[in-house]
């Protein structure tokens, strides 16, 4: 029955088996330090994940959320790509335990050469262990590399960088994005926390990718400058994350889910097919109407009110979520 499970379901099962027997108190202590690093303002210049306890804590605390955020970003890339496009190869920079490669497997069918680069050997070891549960990832290369100015990235159709840039100095961050831009032959996807500073790093990377000749596929419907006035707001989205029992235990929460806020950019060397508009805030559903905050191809932010008199478009608006294209392709 395993082949009938989605990659996300396989990942959950693999995490449960890998983390079986890890004392929750040990994981909780590591989680506390990870939270401090995750929310801190100063790059460490060194791997955050140091040993098996850290890796177990990361897997319980962050990997499910990173997977869902990366999956959302890659799905947006897939929606903007020509019909039938899928990356023939994939390099994940700073991939750690491999959340982004699992997300790619959840987005596109088939097998492809995959390489994960990271500087934390314990994270790579657990990533290798987890990937053994998914046949399409079993041949993934887990390669230890310092993620910084000296990084060399092998050529691949897709290069991903998820939740990495915050850990780097300004100079290293620019070098890593530049290395990804030169290595990718088709697309680069970058994901960061959905905070004002995470958004700022994404915008900086977006500018670098455009300067390197890329076009923006998502979330923006255009490759022009972001219409958000600096310091007034930030572009971010939300992904629903199911919590395992261990996840709830180490995080000290009781809910069966959480919402992961993230910012991202997907850029391509091919001509993308971005949507006319992107929903950039949670839709407001009121009696007989839906209010949609949109970023449009005209390079402006605007609000659209969809009412019952719009018929099928109103029903579509009620089903539209934060981060979706608007209008849905079926209504275009």
């Amino acid at each position: 029955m395993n082949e009938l499970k989605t990659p996300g379901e396989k990942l959950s099962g693999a995490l449960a088996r890998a983390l079986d027997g890890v004392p929750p108190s040990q994981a909780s202590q590591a989680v506390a330090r990870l939270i401090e690093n995750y929310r801190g303002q100063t790059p460490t210049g060194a791997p955050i994940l140091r040993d098996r306890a850290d890796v177990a804590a990361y897997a319980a605390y962050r990997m499910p959320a990173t997977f869902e955020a990366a999956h959302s970003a890659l799905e947006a890339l897939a929606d903007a790509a020509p019909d039938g496009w899928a990356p023939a190869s994939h390099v994940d920079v700073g991939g750690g335990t491999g959340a982004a490669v699992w997300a790619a497997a959840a987005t596109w069918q088939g097998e492809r050469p995959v390489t994960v680069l990271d500087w934390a050997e314990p994270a790579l070891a657990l990533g290798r262990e987890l990937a053994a549960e998914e046949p399409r990832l079993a041949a993934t290369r887990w390669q230890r590399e310092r993620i910084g100015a000296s990084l060399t990235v092998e050529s691949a159709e897709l290069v991903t960088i998820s939740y990495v840039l915050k850990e780097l100095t300004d100079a290293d961050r620019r070098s890593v994005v530049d290395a990804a831009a030169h290595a990718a032959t088709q697309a680069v996807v970058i994901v960061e926390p959905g905070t004002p500073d995470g958004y700022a790093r994404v915008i900086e990377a977006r500018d670098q990718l455009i300067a390197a000749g890329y076009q923006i596929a998502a979330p923006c419907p255009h490759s022009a400058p972001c219409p958000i006035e600096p310091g007034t707001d930030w572009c971010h989205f939300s992904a629903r994350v199911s919590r395992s029992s261990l996840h709830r235990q180490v995080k000290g929460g009781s809910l069966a889910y959480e919402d992961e806020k993230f910012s991202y950019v997907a850029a391509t060397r091919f001509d993308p097919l971005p949507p006319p508009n992107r929903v950039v805030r949670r839709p407001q559903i009121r009696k007989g109407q839906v209010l949609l905050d949109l970023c449009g191809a005209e390079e402006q932010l605007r609000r659209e009110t969809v009412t019952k008199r719009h018929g099928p478009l109103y029903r579509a608006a009620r089903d539209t979520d934060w981060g979706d294209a608007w209008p849905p392709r079926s209504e275009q």
Side-chain angles (χ1 to χ4, degrees):
M1 296 293 291
N2 192 51
E3 66 275 7
L4 300 179
K5 294 181 179 179
T6 67
E9 291 168 338
K10 291 179 184 179
L11 175 59
S12 295
L15 278 170
R17 286 184 288 275
L19 302 174
D20 186 40
V22 175
S25 60
Q26 183 182 14
S28 295
Q29 291 173 2
V31 163
R33 187 179 60 79
L34 284 169
I35 292 174
E36 184 177 354
N37 278 292
Y38 182 65
R39 295 177 177 171
Q41 299 299 317
T42 304
T44 64
I48 286 178
L49 302 177
R50 301 179 302 195
D51 54 30
R52 177 71 185 193
D54 279 0
V55 175
Y58 172 81
Y61 171 57
R62 288 302 307 159
M63 192 173 181
T66 304
F67 167 82
E68 293 294 350
H71 188 204
S72 294
L74 292 175
E75 286 279 10
L77 168 62
D79 288 344
D83 289 344
W85 181 85
S89 53
H90 179 195
V91 171
D92 188 26
V93 176
T97 53
V101 299
W102 280 89
T107 304
W108 294 284
Q109 296 295 316
E111 296 183 39
R112 60 191 59 85
V114 178
T115 300
V116 177
L117 307 177
D118 201 88
W119 49 12
E121 182 57 41
L124 294 170
L126 180 60
R128 188 180 297 109
E129 179 184 336
L130 296 173
E133 301 282 341
E134 169 55 74
R136 288 187 292 147
L137 298 179
T140 298
R141 293 172 52 212
W142 302 84
Q143 186 173 325
R144 188 174 187 184
E145 293 283 350
R146 188 188 185 284
I147 310 302
S150 62
L151 178 68
T152 299
V153 182
E154 65 185 68
S155 179
E157 287 200 354
L158 171 66
V159 177
T160 54
I161 309 173
S162 55
Y163 292 84
V164 174
L165 299 183
K166 179 178 177 61
E167 301 176 17
L168 306 177
T169 64
D170 291 350
D172 280 353
R173 185 165 60 244
R174 288 190 292 270
S175 294
V176 167
V177 173
D178 187 59
H182 282 84
T185 62
Q186 295 286 297
V188 174
V189 175
I190 296 172
V191 185
E192 283 286 293
T195 59
D197 60 319
Y199 160 73
R201 289 189 293 273
V202 167
I203 286 297
E204 180 184 56
R206 181 184 187 272
D207 290 344
Q208 277 188 258
L209 293 170
I210 291 172
Y214 283 80
Q215 299 182 68
I216 303 303
C220 324
H222 56 79
S223 296
C226 177
I228 296 176
E229 184 179 345
T232 64
D233 203 351
W234 70 99
C235 183
H236 64 292
F237 303 93
S238 180
R240 179 59 53 92
V241 183
S242 297
R243 286 174 166 178
S244 66
S245 58
L246 178 60
H247 195 192
R248 294 196 298 271
Q249 193 169 15
V250 298
K251 296 195 75 169
S254 59
L255 292 178
Y257 67 89
E258 64 182 58
D259 291 321
E260 171 71 6
K261 304 299 194 301
F262 66 98
S263 295
Y264 77 98
V265 63
T268 61
R269 290 198 178 279
F270 55 76
D271 291 333
L273 304 169
N277 305 279
R278 179 79 61 186
V279 180
V280 294
R281 287 290 180 269
R282 197 178 303 278
Q284 299 180 44
I285 300 178
R286 299 179 180 174
K287 186 176 181 179
Q289 61 181 232
V290 181
L291 307 182
L292 300 176
D293 290 307
L294 305 172
C295 181
E298 68 278 9
E299 305 168 17
Q300 293 180 344
L301 299 173
R302 63 184 178 86
R303 172 168 286 185
E304 181 172 320
T305 301
V306 186
T307 66
K308 284 186 175 180
R309 65 183 178 83
H310 290 99
L313 202 61
Y314 170 71
R315 291 190 291 273
R318 289 183 61 86
D319 292 334
T320 294
D321 203 357
W322 185 6
D324 286 351
W326 180 259
R329 290 193 185 278
S330 60
E331 302 294 333
Q332 293 178 25

